[in-house]
Amino acid sequence: MSRQQKPNFIIIGAMKAATTSLYTYLKQHPDVFMTTIKEPMFFNNFQKKNNFKVAGRKTKKITTFEEYYPLFDAVKNEKAIGEASPAYISNKNCPSLIKQHLPDTKIIAVLRQPVARAYSNFLHARMADREPIADFETAFNKEAERKAENWSPLYHYKDKGYYAEQLDRYFTLFPNENIKVLLFEDLVENPIKTTQKIFKFLNIDKSFIPDTRKKVNVSGTPKGLFGLFIMKLRYYNLIPNIQFSSYLPNFIIQFIFNSAYKKASPLAPEIKKRITHTFYKEDILKLEKLIGKDLQHWLS
């Protein structure tokens, strides 16, 4: 009987911070194994029912190690074995559970300006027909009420942006050398260079160049009847983004997306700045010290 394979690195998030792109880039490396299910979300569902309120079809949860570890059964000779579950970064229980069961695992986080992340999260929920509120600020400010009604963390647009508080839980439990923090803008603007930093962090061939041309998990608003049709297919998980990315050429993906969706209007700069300074300024300043990166562009 073969030895049970376990992950030795985890992408913990954040949601809508290009973790899907990073997943697809890493998966191309011959020394990397990534789970077929991109977001197992195991540790935030471990031995829990988590019957959250969510608009739309619920997916089957992985709640036991008997379900989780078989996700890695296909590992052959890969040195870096990983998964990507953006929900891990904001869940208070995940750091201690990961430390308890996978004490030597490496942690990777990708962070995005918190209001930009929240707006993208909102657009993603709207595109999937899971967000009934059409106005971003209204949905953002409804979070406390929704939490009281046990709505899914999918709708925690505000709380998911407190990165200093979230990452501090990981830095408390894991050695600094086992944690790698990236910025969304670096991954988007320099995907190859940034991904190669992760290769180095994982102690595998850092000269490997992944194909970063395909766009995955992008957001928009439905366009016409075809857009509504595609939205419903995605709503029922019949055409998830990873399948789009894996099996279709980039020009076909782009054609389908351009035919089905129109680019969402950008968030007004004054709204972004107001929300940033009202809710996130203090946390961003703490985050700068925690990860040793200049984040003043997030405030300006």
Side-chain angles (χ1 to χ4, degrees), residues 173-206:
L173 295 172
F174 293 86
N176 285 14
E177 60 268 23
N178 276 18
I179 301 177
K180 186 71 172 178
V181 179
L182 307 174
L183 298 184
F184 169 84
E185 50 266 36
D186 292 335
L187 186 56
V188 170
E189 294 168 11
N190 298 291
I192 293 175
K193 181 181 178 182
T194 304
T195 305
Q196 287 179 331
K197 288 182 180 179
I198 297 298
F199 296 156
K200 182 178 179 181
F201 173 68
L202 296 175
N203 296 318
I204 55 178
D205 181 11
K206 64 180 181 180

PDB file of all heavy atoms in Angstrom, residues 173-206:
ATOM      1  N   LEU A 173       1.838  31.143  14.219  1.00  0.00           N
ATOM      2  CA  LEU A 173       1.954  29.688  14.283  1.00  0.00           C
ATOM      3  C   LEU A 173       3.044  29.096  13.393  1.00  0.00           C
ATOM      4  O   LEU A 173       3.620  28.059  13.721  1.00  0.00           O
ATOM      5  CB  LEU A 173       0.612  29.049  13.901  1.00  0.00           C
ATOM      6  CG  LEU A 173      -0.563  29.312  14.859  1.00  0.00           C
ATOM      7  CD1 LEU A 173      -1.858  28.785  14.253  1.00  0.00           C
ATOM      8  CD2 LEU A 173      -0.309  28.661  16.208  1.00  0.00           C
ATOM      9  N   PHE A 174       3.331  29.752  12.273  1.00  0.00           N
ATOM     10  CA  PHE A 174       4.291  29.216  11.315  1.00  0.00           C
ATOM     11  C   PHE A 174       5.546  30.074  11.274  1.00  0.00           C
ATOM     12  O   PHE A 174       5.476  31.299  11.439  1.00  0.00           O
ATOM     13  CB  PHE A 174       3.666  29.166   9.909  1.00  0.00           C
ATOM     14  CG  PHE A 174       2.543  28.174   9.766  1.00  0.00           C
ATOM     15  CD1 PHE A 174       1.241  28.523  10.092  1.00  0.00           C
ATOM     16  CD2 PHE A 174       2.793  26.890   9.306  1.00  0.00           C
ATOM     17  CE1 PHE A 174       0.198  27.614   9.964  1.00  0.00           C
ATOM     18  CE2 PHE A 174       1.767  25.967   9.173  1.00  0.00           C
ATOM     19  CZ  PHE A 174       0.463  26.327   9.508  1.00  0.00           C
ATOM     20  N   PRO A 175       6.705  29.459  11.045  1.00  0.00           N
ATOM     21  CA  PRO A 175       7.936  30.256  10.921  1.00  0.00           C
ATOM     22  C   PRO A 175       7.862  31.171   9.705  1.00  0.00           C
ATOM     23  O   PRO A 175       7.270  30.807   8.684  1.00  0.00           O
ATOM     24  CB  PRO A 175       9.036  29.202  10.772  1.00  0.00           C
ATOM     25  CG  PRO A 175       8.339  27.962  10.316  1.00  0.00           C
ATOM     26  CD  PRO A 175       6.962  28.005  10.903  1.00  0.00           C
ATOM     27  N   ASN A 176       8.462  32.346   9.824  1.00  0.00           N
ATOM     28  CA  ASN A 176       8.417  33.332   8.747  1.00  0.00           C
ATOM     29  C   ASN A 176       8.900  32.768   7.415  1.00  0.00           C
ATOM     30  O   ASN A 176       8.370  33.110   6.350  1.00  0.00           O
ATOM     31  CB  ASN A 176       9.260  34.553   9.115  1.00  0.00           C
ATOM     32  CG  ASN A 176       8.570  35.436  10.139  1.00  0.00           C
ATOM     33  OD1 ASN A 176       7.589  35.021  10.771  1.00  0.00           O
ATOM     34  ND2 ASN A 176       9.060  36.637  10.321  1.00  0.00           N
ATOM     35  N   GLU A 177       9.926  31.902   7.469  1.00  0.00           N
ATOM     36  CA  GLU A 177      10.483  31.361   6.226  1.00  0.00           C
ATOM     37  C   GLU A 177       9.518  30.407   5.515  1.00  0.00           C
ATOM     38  O   GLU A 177       9.751  30.024   4.360  1.00  0.00           O
ATOM     39  CB  GLU A 177      11.814  30.655   6.487  1.00  0.00           C
ATOM     40  CG  GLU A 177      11.751  29.486   7.449  1.00  0.00           C
ATOM     41  CD  GLU A 177      12.022  29.885   8.903  1.00  0.00           C
ATOM     42  OE1 GLU A 177      11.826  31.069   9.250  1.00  0.00           O
ATOM     43  OE2 GLU A 177      12.436  29.009   9.680  1.00  0.00           O
ATOM     44  N   ASN A 178       8.451  30.011   6.194  1.00  0.00           N
ATOM     45  CA  ASN A 178       7.453  29.127   5.591  1.00  0.00           C
ATOM     46  C   ASN A 178       6.236  29.886   5.074  1.00  0.00           C
ATOM     47  O   ASN A 178       5.240  29.262   4.681  1.00  0.00           O
ATOM     48  CB  ASN A 178       6.998  28.059   6.593  1.00  0.00           C
ATOM     49  CG  ASN A 178       7.935  26.870   6.637  1.00  0.00           C
ATOM     50  OD1 ASN A 178       9.071  26.973   6.195  1.00  0.00           O
ATOM     51  ND2 ASN A 178       7.475  25.747   7.163  1.00  0.00           N
ATOM     52  N   ILE A 179       6.296  31.212   5.089  1.00  0.00           N
ATOM     53  CA  ILE A 179       5.175  32.029   4.619  1.00  0.00           C
ATOM     54  C   ILE A 179       5.664  32.961   3.511  1.00  0.00           C
ATOM     55  O   ILE A 179       6.656  33.661   3.673  1.00  0.00           O
ATOM     56  CB  ILE A 179       4.560  32.863   5.763  1.00  0.00           C
ATOM     57  CG1 ILE A 179       4.066  31.942   6.891  1.00  0.00           C
ATOM     58  CG2 ILE A 179       3.418  33.726   5.235  1.00  0.00           C
ATOM     59  CD1 ILE A 179       3.518  32.697   8.095  1.00  0.00           C
ATOM     60  N   LYS A 180       4.955  32.950   2.388  1.00  0.00           N
ATOM     61  CA  LYS A 180       5.272  33.834   1.269  1.00  0.00           C
ATOM     62  C   LYS A 180       4.042  34.675   0.947  1.00  0.00           C
ATOM     63  O   LYS A 180       2.965  34.142   0.676  1.00  0.00           O
ATOM     64  CB  LYS A 180       5.670  33.009   0.033  1.00  0.00           C
ATOM     65  CG  LYS A 180       6.168  33.837  -1.142  1.00  0.00           C
ATOM     66  CD  LYS A 180       7.538  34.418  -0.858  1.00  0.00           C
ATOM     67  CE  LYS A 180       8.136  35.080  -2.085  1.00  0.00           C
ATOM     68  NZ  LYS A 180       9.452  35.687  -1.802  1.00  0.00           N
ATOM     69  N   VAL A 181       4.218  36.003   0.988  1.00  0.00           N
ATOM     70  CA  VAL A 181       3.117  36.917   0.716  1.00  0.00           C
ATOM     71  C   VAL A 181       3.395  37.671  -0.580  1.00  0.00           C
ATOM     72  O   VAL A 181       4.449  38.290  -0.742  1.00  0.00           O
ATOM     73  CB  VAL A 181       2.913  37.916   1.873  1.00  0.00           C
ATOM     74  CG1 VAL A 181       1.766  38.875   1.556  1.00  0.00           C
ATOM     75  CG2 VAL A 181       2.637  37.178   3.190  1.00  0.00           C
ATOM     76  N   LEU A 182       2.456  37.596  -1.501  1.00  0.00           N
ATOM     77  CA  LEU A 182       2.552  38.294  -2.779  1.00  0.00           C
ATOM     78  C   LEU A 182       1.484  39.374  -2.852  1.00  0.00           C
ATOM     79  O   LEU A 182       0.483  39.320  -2.137  1.00  0.00           O
ATOM     80  CB  LEU A 182       2.332  37.324  -3.947  1.00  0.00           C
ATOM     81  CG  LEU A 182       3.171  36.045  -4.003  1.00  0.00           C
ATOM     82  CD1 LEU A 182       2.690  35.175  -5.152  1.00  0.00           C
ATOM     83  CD2 LEU A 182       4.637  36.385  -4.161  1.00  0.00           C
ATOM     84  N   LEU A 183       1.692  40.338  -3.740  1.00  0.00           N
ATOM     85  CA  LEU A 183       0.676  41.344  -4.001  1.00  0.00           C
ATOM     86  C   LEU A 183       0.011  41.057  -5.344  1.00  0.00           C
ATOM     87  O   LEU A 183       0.684  40.677  -6.310  1.00  0.00           O
ATOM     88  CB  LEU A 183       1.274  42.749  -3.997  1.00  0.00           C
ATOM     89  CG  LEU A 183       1.910  43.216  -2.685  1.00  0.00           C
ATOM     90  CD1 LEU A 183       2.366  44.670  -2.810  1.00  0.00           C
ATOM     91  CD2 LEU A 183       0.944  43.067  -1.509  1.00  0.00           C
ATOM     92  N   PHE A 184      -1.272  41.239  -5.400  1.00  0.00           N
ATOM     93  CA  PHE A 184      -2.069  41.012  -6.603  1.00  0.00           C
ATOM     94  C   PHE A 184      -1.485  41.736  -7.805  1.00  0.00           C
ATOM     95  O   PHE A 184      -1.356  41.155  -8.890  1.00  0.00           O
ATOM     96  CB  PHE A 184      -3.502  41.496  -6.321  1.00  0.00           C
ATOM     97  CG  PHE A 184      -4.392  41.582  -7.532  1.00  0.00           C
ATOM     98  CD1 PHE A 184      -5.065  40.468  -8.003  1.00  0.00           C
ATOM     99  CD2 PHE A 184      -4.586  42.797  -8.181  1.00  0.00           C
ATOM    100  CE1 PHE A 184      -5.906  40.554  -9.110  1.00  0.00           C
ATOM    101  CE2 PHE A 184      -5.414  42.892  -9.287  1.00  0.00           C
ATOM    102  CZ  PHE A 184      -6.083  41.768  -9.755  1.00  0.00           C
ATOM    103  N   GLU A 185      -1.110  43.006  -7.611  1.00  0.00           N
ATOM    104  CA  GLU A 185      -0.631  43.800  -8.739  1.00  0.00           C
ATOM    105  C   GLU A 185       0.677  43.250  -9.312  1.00  0.00           C
ATOM    106  O   GLU A 185       0.915  43.322 -10.527  1.00  0.00           O
ATOM    107  CB  GLU A 185      -0.464  45.279  -8.354  1.00  0.00           C
ATOM    108  CG  GLU A 185       0.319  45.525  -7.080  1.00  0.00           C
ATOM    109  CD  GLU A 185      -0.557  45.657  -5.843  1.00  0.00           C
ATOM    110  OE1 GLU A 185      -1.588  44.946  -5.754  1.00  0.00           O
ATOM    111  OE2 GLU A 185      -0.206  46.454  -4.961  1.00  0.00           O
ATOM    112  N   ASP A 186       1.512  42.663  -8.462  1.00  0.00           N
ATOM    113  CA  ASP A 186       2.758  42.058  -8.951  1.00  0.00           C
ATOM    114  C   ASP A 186       2.465  40.819  -9.793  1.00  0.00           C
ATOM    115  O   ASP A 186       3.112  40.582 -10.828  1.00  0.00           O
ATOM    116  CB  ASP A 186       3.670  41.687  -7.780  1.00  0.00           C
ATOM    117  CG  ASP A 186       4.197  42.910  -7.047  1.00  0.00           C
ATOM    118  OD1 ASP A 186       4.275  43.987  -7.676  1.00  0.00           O
ATOM    119  OD2 ASP A 186       4.518  42.800  -5.857  1.00  0.00           O
ATOM    120  N   LEU A 187       1.496  40.020  -9.342  1.00  0.00           N
ATOM    121  CA  LEU A 187       1.152  38.805 -10.067  1.00  0.00           C
ATOM    122  C   LEU A 187       0.502  39.131 -11.411  1.00  0.00           C
ATOM    123  O   LEU A 187       0.742  38.450 -12.412  1.00  0.00           O
ATOM    124  CB  LEU A 187       0.210  37.942  -9.225  1.00  0.00           C
ATOM    125  CG  LEU A 187      -0.135  36.552  -9.770  1.00  0.00           C
ATOM    126  CD1 LEU A 187       1.124  35.738 -10.015  1.00  0.00           C
ATOM    127  CD2 LEU A 187      -1.061  35.817  -8.820  1.00  0.00           C
ATOM    128  N   VAL A 188      -0.289  40.203 -11.460  1.00  0.00           N
ATOM    129  CA  VAL A 188      -0.960  40.600 -12.696  1.00  0.00           C
ATOM    130  C   VAL A 188       0.017  41.254 -13.673  1.00  0.00           C
ATOM    131  O   VAL A 188       0.006  40.960 -14.872  1.00  0.00           O
ATOM    132  CB  VAL A 188      -2.139  41.554 -12.393  1.00  0.00           C
ATOM    133  CG1 VAL A 188      -2.699  42.161 -13.675  1.00  0.00           C
ATOM    134  CG2 VAL A 188      -3.240  40.809 -11.642  1.00  0.00           C
ATOM    135  N   GLU A 189       0.871  42.136 -13.153  1.00  0.00           N
ATOM    136  CA  GLU A 189       1.780  42.895 -14.020  1.00  0.00           C
ATOM    137  C   GLU A 189       3.032  42.107 -14.419  1.00  0.00           C
ATOM    138  O   GLU A 189       3.557  42.288 -15.522  1.00  0.00           O
ATOM    139  CB  GLU A 189       2.180  44.201 -13.323  1.00  0.00           C
ATOM    140  CG  GLU A 189       1.007  45.166 -13.133  1.00  0.00           C
ATOM    141  CD  GLU A 189       1.343  46.314 -12.203  1.00  0.00           C
ATOM    142  OE1 GLU A 189       2.538  46.490 -11.875  1.00  0.00           O
ATOM    143  OE2 GLU A 189       0.409  47.048 -11.797  1.00  0.00           O
ATOM    144  N   ASN A 190       3.504  41.235 -13.520  1.00  0.00           N
ATOM    145  CA  ASN A 190       4.703  40.432 -13.801  1.00  0.00           C
ATOM    146  C   ASN A 190       4.455  38.974 -13.412  1.00  0.00           C
ATOM    147  O   ASN A 190       5.081  38.455 -12.479  1.00  0.00           O
ATOM    148  CB  ASN A 190       5.907  40.979 -13.021  1.00  0.00           C
ATOM    149  CG  ASN A 190       6.255  42.400 -13.407  1.00  0.00           C
ATOM    150  OD1 ASN A 190       6.712  42.660 -14.512  1.00  0.00           O
ATOM    151  ND2 ASN A 190       6.035  43.333 -12.489  1.00  0.00           N
ATOM    152  N   PRO A 191       3.528  38.310 -14.123  1.00  0.00           N
ATOM    153  CA  PRO A 191       3.126  36.958 -13.696  1.00  0.00           C
ATOM    154  C   PRO A 191       4.249  35.932 -13.717  1.00  0.00           C
ATOM    155  O   PRO A 191       4.333  35.098 -12.811  1.00  0.00           O
ATOM    156  CB  PRO A 191       2.018  36.591 -14.694  1.00  0.00           C
ATOM    157  CG  PRO A 191       2.243  37.480 -15.884  1.00  0.00           C
ATOM    158  CD  PRO A 191       2.800  38.750 -15.322  1.00  0.00           C
ATOM    159  N   ILE A 192       5.124  35.988 -14.729  1.00  0.00           N
ATOM    160  CA  ILE A 192       6.200  34.989 -14.808  1.00  0.00           C
ATOM    161  C   ILE A 192       7.220  35.201 -13.696  1.00  0.00           C
ATOM    162  O   ILE A 192       7.569  34.265 -12.968  1.00  0.00           O
ATOM    163  CB  ILE A 192       6.878  35.042 -16.197  1.00  0.00           C
ATOM    164  CG1 ILE A 192       5.893  34.579 -17.279  1.00  0.00           C
ATOM    165  CG2 ILE A 192       8.129  34.170 -16.213  1.00  0.00           C
ATOM    166  CD1 ILE A 192       6.417  34.704 -18.693  1.00  0.00           C
ATOM    167  N   LYS A 193       7.684  36.436 -13.552  1.00  0.00           N
ATOM    168  CA  LYS A 193       8.663  36.744 -12.512  1.00  0.00           C
ATOM    169  C   LYS A 193       8.121  36.423 -11.126  1.00  0.00           C
ATOM    170  O   LYS A 193       8.827  35.838 -10.281  1.00  0.00           O
ATOM    171  CB  LYS A 193       9.053  38.222 -12.589  1.00  0.00           C
ATOM    172  CG  LYS A 193      10.084  38.657 -11.567  1.00  0.00           C
ATOM    173  CD  LYS A 193      10.402  40.146 -11.709  1.00  0.00           C
ATOM    174  CE  LYS A 193      11.392  40.612 -10.649  1.00  0.00           C
ATOM    175  NZ  LYS A 193      11.670  42.079 -10.765  1.00  0.00           N
ATOM    176  N   THR A 194       6.857  36.769 -10.884  1.00  0.00           N
ATOM    177  CA  THR A 194       6.254  36.539  -9.566  1.00  0.00           C
ATOM    178  C   THR A 194       6.060  35.052  -9.316  1.00  0.00           C
ATOM    179  O   THR A 194       6.318  34.567  -8.207  1.00  0.00           O
ATOM    180  CB  THR A 194       4.909  37.282  -9.469  1.00  0.00           C
ATOM    181  OG1 THR A 194       5.107  38.675  -9.749  1.00  0.00           O
ATOM    182  CG2 THR A 194       4.315  37.153  -8.074  1.00  0.00           C
ATOM    183  N   THR A 195       5.619  34.321 -10.334  1.00  0.00           N
ATOM    184  CA  THR A 195       5.433  32.877 -10.168  1.00  0.00           C
ATOM    185  C   THR A 195       6.774  32.186  -9.935  1.00  0.00           C
ATOM    186  O   THR A 195       6.868  31.240  -9.142  1.00  0.00           O
ATOM    187  CB  THR A 195       4.737  32.280 -11.408  1.00  0.00           C
ATOM    188  OG1 THR A 195       3.510  32.975 -11.646  1.00  0.00           O
ATOM    189  CG2 THR A 195       4.429  30.810 -11.192  1.00  0.00           C
ATOM    190  N   GLN A 196       7.819  32.667 -10.591  1.00  0.00           N
ATOM    191  CA  GLN A 196       9.138  32.068 -10.392  1.00  0.00           C
ATOM    192  C   GLN A 196       9.648  32.288  -8.961  1.00  0.00           C
ATOM    193  O   GLN A 196      10.424  31.478  -8.450  1.00  0.00           O
ATOM    194  CB  GLN A 196      10.112  32.615 -11.427  1.00  0.00           C
ATOM    195  CG  GLN A 196       9.856  32.060 -12.827  1.00  0.00           C
ATOM    196  CD  GLN A 196      10.800  32.620 -13.883  1.00  0.00           C
ATOM    197  OE1 GLN A 196      11.288  33.745 -13.770  1.00  0.00           O
ATOM    198  NE2 GLN A 196      11.079  31.832 -14.915  1.00  0.00           N
ATOM    199  N   LYS A 197       9.203  33.363  -8.317  1.00  0.00           N
ATOM    200  CA  LYS A 197       9.538  33.566  -6.903  1.00  0.00           C
ATOM    201  C   LYS A 197       8.904  32.467  -6.050  1.00  0.00           C
ATOM    202  O   LYS A 197       9.500  32.003  -5.062  1.00  0.00           O
ATOM    203  CB  LYS A 197       9.056  34.936  -6.430  1.00  0.00           C
ATOM    204  CG  LYS A 197       9.848  36.108  -6.982  1.00  0.00           C
ATOM    205  CD  LYS A 197       9.318  37.426  -6.426  1.00  0.00           C
ATOM    206  CE  LYS A 197      10.114  38.612  -6.974  1.00  0.00           C
ATOM    207  NZ  LYS A 197       9.588  39.912  -6.461  1.00  0.00           N
ATOM    208  N   ILE A 198       7.700  32.058  -6.443  1.00  0.00           N
ATOM    209  CA  ILE A 198       7.037  30.968  -5.735  1.00  0.00           C
ATOM    210  C   ILE A 198       7.764  29.644  -5.989  1.00  0.00           C
ATOM    211  O   ILE A 198       7.915  28.826  -5.069  1.00  0.00           O
ATOM    212  CB  ILE A 198       5.562  30.856  -6.162  1.00  0.00           C
ATOM    213  CG1 ILE A 198       4.796  32.125  -5.772  1.00  0.00           C
ATOM    214  CG2 ILE A 198       4.901  29.634  -5.529  1.00  0.00           C
ATOM    215  CD1 ILE A 198       4.757  32.394  -4.289  1.00  0.00           C
ATOM    216  N   PHE A 199       8.227  29.436  -7.214  1.00  0.00           N
ATOM    217  CA  PHE A 199       9.011  28.224  -7.506  1.00  0.00           C
ATOM    218  C   PHE A 199      10.233  28.156  -6.590  1.00  0.00           C
ATOM    219  O   PHE A 199      10.557  27.101  -6.040  1.00  0.00           O
ATOM    220  CB  PHE A 199       9.463  28.215  -8.969  1.00  0.00           C
ATOM    221  CG  PHE A 199       8.342  28.141  -9.980  1.00  0.00           C
ATOM    222  CD1 PHE A 199       8.535  28.605 -11.279  1.00  0.00           C
ATOM    223  CD2 PHE A 199       7.110  27.605  -9.650  1.00  0.00           C
ATOM    224  CE1 PHE A 199       7.521  28.528 -12.221  1.00  0.00           C
ATOM    225  CE2 PHE A 199       6.081  27.525 -10.591  1.00  0.00           C
ATOM    226  CZ  PHE A 199       6.292  27.997 -11.876  1.00  0.00           C
ATOM    227  N   LYS A 200      10.915  29.283  -6.443  1.00  0.00           N
ATOM    228  CA  LYS A 200      12.089  29.330  -5.570  1.00  0.00           C
ATOM    229  C   LYS A 200      11.691  29.042  -4.123  1.00  0.00           C
ATOM    230  O   LYS A 200      12.376  28.290  -3.409  1.00  0.00           O
ATOM    231  CB  LYS A 200      12.759  30.708  -5.664  1.00  0.00           C
ATOM    232  CG  LYS A 200      14.019  30.837  -4.827  1.00  0.00           C
ATOM    233  CD  LYS A 200      14.658  32.218  -4.994  1.00  0.00           C
ATOM    234  CE  LYS A 200      15.917  32.346  -4.139  1.00  0.00           C
ATOM    235  NZ  LYS A 200      16.534  33.699  -4.272  1.00  0.00           N
ATOM    236  N   PHE A 201      10.586  29.616  -3.682  1.00  0.00           N
ATOM    237  CA  PHE A 201      10.079  29.405  -2.329  1.00  0.00           C
ATOM    238  C   PHE A 201       9.769  27.926  -2.079  1.00  0.00           C
ATOM    239  O   PHE A 201       9.966  27.411  -0.974  1.00  0.00           O
ATOM    240  CB  PHE A 201       8.821  30.271  -2.132  1.00  0.00           C
ATOM    241  CG  PHE A 201       8.086  30.058  -0.846  1.00  0.00           C
ATOM    242  CD1 PHE A 201       8.652  30.428   0.370  1.00  0.00           C
ATOM    243  CD2 PHE A 201       6.797  29.517  -0.850  1.00  0.00           C
ATOM    244  CE1 PHE A 201       7.956  30.251   1.565  1.00  0.00           C
ATOM    245  CE2 PHE A 201       6.101  29.343   0.330  1.00  0.00           C
ATOM    246  CZ  PHE A 201       6.678  29.704   1.541  1.00  0.00           C
ATOM    247  N   LEU A 202       9.310  27.238  -3.134  1.00  0.00           N
ATOM    248  CA  LEU A 202       8.957  25.821  -3.012  1.00  0.00           C
ATOM    249  C   LEU A 202      10.141  24.894  -3.278  1.00  0.00           C
ATOM    250  O   LEU A 202       9.988  23.665  -3.294  1.00  0.00           O
ATOM    251  CB  LEU A 202       7.816  25.489  -3.988  1.00  0.00           C
ATOM    252  CG  LEU A 202       6.482  26.199  -3.722  1.00  0.00           C
ATOM    253  CD1 LEU A 202       5.474  25.874  -4.820  1.00  0.00           C
ATOM    254  CD2 LEU A 202       5.919  25.830  -2.360  1.00  0.00           C
ATOM    255  N   ASN A 203      11.318  25.480  -3.499  1.00  0.00           N
ATOM    256  CA  ASN A 203      12.543  24.710  -3.730  1.00  0.00           C
ATOM    257  C   ASN A 203      12.456  23.793  -4.952  1.00  0.00           C
ATOM    258  O   ASN A 203      12.876  22.628  -4.925  1.00  0.00           O
ATOM    259  CB  ASN A 203      12.909  23.877  -2.483  1.00  0.00           C
ATOM    260  CG  ASN A 203      13.231  24.747  -1.290  1.00  0.00           C
ATOM    261  OD1 ASN A 203      13.911  25.754  -1.412  1.00  0.00           O
ATOM    262  ND2 ASN A 203      12.712  24.376  -0.122  1.00  0.00           N
ATOM    263  N   ILE A 204      11.896  24.335  -6.033  1.00  0.00           N
ATOM    264  CA  ILE A 204      11.852  23.613  -7.300  1.00  0.00           C
ATOM    265  C   ILE A 204      12.474  24.511  -8.372  1.00  0.00           C
ATOM    266  O   ILE A 204      12.817  25.661  -8.085  1.00  0.00           O
ATOM    267  CB  ILE A 204      10.404  23.212  -7.690  1.00  0.00           C
ATOM    268  CG1 ILE A 204       9.494  24.449  -7.718  1.00  0.00           C
ATOM    269  CG2 ILE A 204       9.869  22.174  -6.718  1.00  0.00           C
ATOM    270  CD1 ILE A 204       8.063  24.148  -8.133  1.00  0.00           C
ATOM    271  N   ASP A 205      12.629  23.989  -9.576  1.00  0.00           N
ATOM    272  CA  ASP A 205      13.286  24.720 -10.654  1.00  0.00           C
ATOM    273  C   ASP A 205      12.633  26.080 -10.883  1.00  0.00           C
ATOM    274  O   ASP A 205      11.513  26.168 -11.382  1.00  0.00           O
ATOM    275  CB  ASP A 205      13.230  23.886 -11.931  1.00  0.00           C
ATOM    276  CG  ASP A 205      13.917  24.572 -13.108  1.00  0.00           C
ATOM    277  OD1 ASP A 205      14.610  25.591 -12.895  1.00  0.00           O
ATOM    278  OD2 ASP A 205      13.747  24.081 -14.246  1.00  0.00           O
ATOM    279  N   LYS A 206      13.344  27.142 -10.519  1.00  0.00           N
ATOM    280  CA  LYS A 206      12.777  28.486 -10.614  1.00  0.00           C
ATOM    281  C   LYS A 206      12.897  29.082 -12.010  1.00  0.00           C
ATOM    282  O   LYS A 206      12.375  30.162 -12.275  1.00  0.00           O
ATOM    283  CB  LYS A 206      13.453  29.422  -9.601  1.00  0.00           C
ATOM    284  CG  LYS A 206      14.938  29.655  -9.850  1.00  0.00           C
ATOM    285  CD  LYS A 206      15.522  30.585  -8.807  1.00  0.00           C
ATOM    286  CE  LYS A 206      17.011  30.836  -9.069  1.00  0.00           C
ATOM    287  NZ  LYS A 206      17.610  31.729  -8.064  1.00  0.00           N
TER     288      LYS A 206
END
